[in-house]
Amino acid sequence: MNANARQVATYLQKSKCTVILTGAGMSTESGIPDFRSENGLWHGRDPMTIATPEALETDYETFFNFYLARLEALDEASPHKGHQILAKWEENGFTHHVATQNVDGFHRQAGQQHISELHGSIQAIRCHDCNMKASDEKFRSKGACSACGGRLRPDIVLFGEMLPQQEWERSIEMISEAELVLVIGTSLQVAPVSQLPNLTPGQKVWINQEAPEREEWFDLTIQGKAGEILTEIDQMLSQPES
Ligand code: APR
């Protein structure tokens, strides 16, 4: 793995435009489950009965309980060393944009400035019916929208909903210019984000606990925990090139 970490460090030193694409595997070392691993959030649950506008409208109780539990889990969690390293790399000019599917806000909390939250933010609450913003407390106490009496929800992208236009366009713009893309902790199962790696002319590196479905899509794959791998690469970055 050292050799691969050294190779990624070399890529990072050479690349003039590096984009990081992250998924839920970036937050499991903070104690937040991902979706499709053994003990993931979709294990034993059908996401179509929870994470869709129809589910919200027909079974608000299940929708509400699922997202309340996720918010409460985040009360006890914080970004880990991997998030901090990505923010440091941005500050040091090694990376230029983070496109994340994660709604936990950990990249921002760790100090990442150039970021697109492609699936929104679970901490931002709005009315499902009139879009009016509402407080986290109002949602947690199962309150209704103060403007129209509608149902409150996190401002995240549910299956079947559009991604935030500006975030999406910015991510496409950056990845189309990228010389290097690190794909970290995502199964790439969900469109349209799953298509982003195909848009880059640059080197593609897969960092994940499991091997990619399509190994040939990537110039390099490193299997293991994101936090540990990013730490190893970071150590290589601070060593003089051998
Ligand atoms: N280090 C590296 N990889 C990890 C780690 C870790 N510590 N923990 C989990 N992984 C990997 C898993 O092996 C898996 O390949 O991260 C990936 C997580 O994949 P998913 O659970 O499918 O999460 P993600 O790809 O982010 O899902 C995309 O699906 O349900 C929707 O909106 C939701 O944004 C989410 C989208």
Side-chain angles (χ1 to χ4, degrees):
M1 217 264 281
N2 260 343
N4 284 340
R6 156 64 63 202
Q7 181 59 62
V8 177
T10 304
Y11 284 163
L12 282 165
Q13 285 161 333
K14 291 195 163 72
S15 171
K16 293 185 210 51
C17 179
T18 297
V19 172
I20 311 285
L21 172 60
T22 64
M26 187 68 215
S27 296
T28 54
E29 290 158 85
S30 292
I32 300 298
D34 65 13
F35 294 95
R36 295 174 182 82
S37 288
E38 246 333 274
N39 53 3
L41 290 172
W42 297 147
H43 192 66
R45 286 192 185 98
D46 173 4
M48 295 306 134
T49 64
I50 298 175
T52 64
E54 297 72 25
L56 183 159
E57 288 153 10
T58 56
D59 182 0
Y60 186 72
E61 187 70 17
T62 303
F63 175 91
F64 172 79
N65 291 333
F66 179 74
Y67 286 100
L68 177 63
R70 288 185 66 190
L71 275 169
E72 289 174 342
L74 286 175
D75 292 343
E76 315 298 323
S78 51
H80 60 72
K81 61 188 172 185
H83 295 101
Q84 275 127 27
I85 286 170
L86 291 178
K88 180 178 75 168
W89 287 357
E90 177 186 89
E91 210 177 323
N92 297 345
F94 286 118
T95 61
H96 305 86
H97 194 78
V98 170
T100 188
Q101 300 167 93
N102 299 341
V103 298
D104 54 36
F106 283 170
H107 286 299
R108 278 191 198 287
Q109 278 179 50
Q112 206 79 42
Q113 304 286 315
H114 303 292
I115 180 166
S116 294
E117 290 173 318
L118 293 170
H119 288 171
S121 164
I122 197 169
Q123 279 100 0
I125 302 297
R126 67 173 172 85
C127 174
H128 179 64
D129 301 300
C130 77
N131 264 333
M132 175 90 161
K133 287 189 177 14
S135 70
D136 174 87
E137 294 71 30
K138 191 97 185 266
F139 174 74
R140 291 185 192 229
S141 59
K142 223 173 175 183
C145 171
S146 49
C148 76
R151 285 147 301 193
L152 298 181
R153 54 172 280 177
D155 192 16
I156 59 174
V157 178
L158 299 175
F159 286 102
E161 292 185 323
M162 294 286 287
L163 273 62
Q165 187 70 19
Q166 210 174 354
E167 313 279 304
W168 177 241
E169 284 171 1
R170 181 70 180 139
S171 295
I172 290 200
E173 183 193 338
M174 291 304 293
I175 214 151
S176 307
E177 294 161 17
E179 292 177 15
L180 174 63
V181 178
L182 305 187
V183 178
I184 307 175
T186 176
S187 61
L188 288 181
Q189 297 289 309
V190 176
V193 175
S194 52
Q195 300 313 307
L196 277 178
N198 300 332
L199 302 181
T200 183
Q203 303 271 15
K204 281 177 277 190
V205 177
W206 169 268
I207 297 176
N208 194 304
Q209 273 180 164
E210 56 195 13
E213 264 172 36
R214 311 287 298 273
E215 191 106 19
E216 68 277 9
W217 277 8
F218 295 90
D219 301 280
L220 192 63
T221 62
I222 309 184
Q223 239 176 290
K225 288 188 178 300
E228 292 170 11
I229 292 168
L230 290 171
T231 300
E232 185 142 11
I233 295 167
D234 191 46
Q235 284 161 355
M236 301 285 177
L237 271 182
S238 39
Q239 279 170 9
E241 277 197 56
S242 47

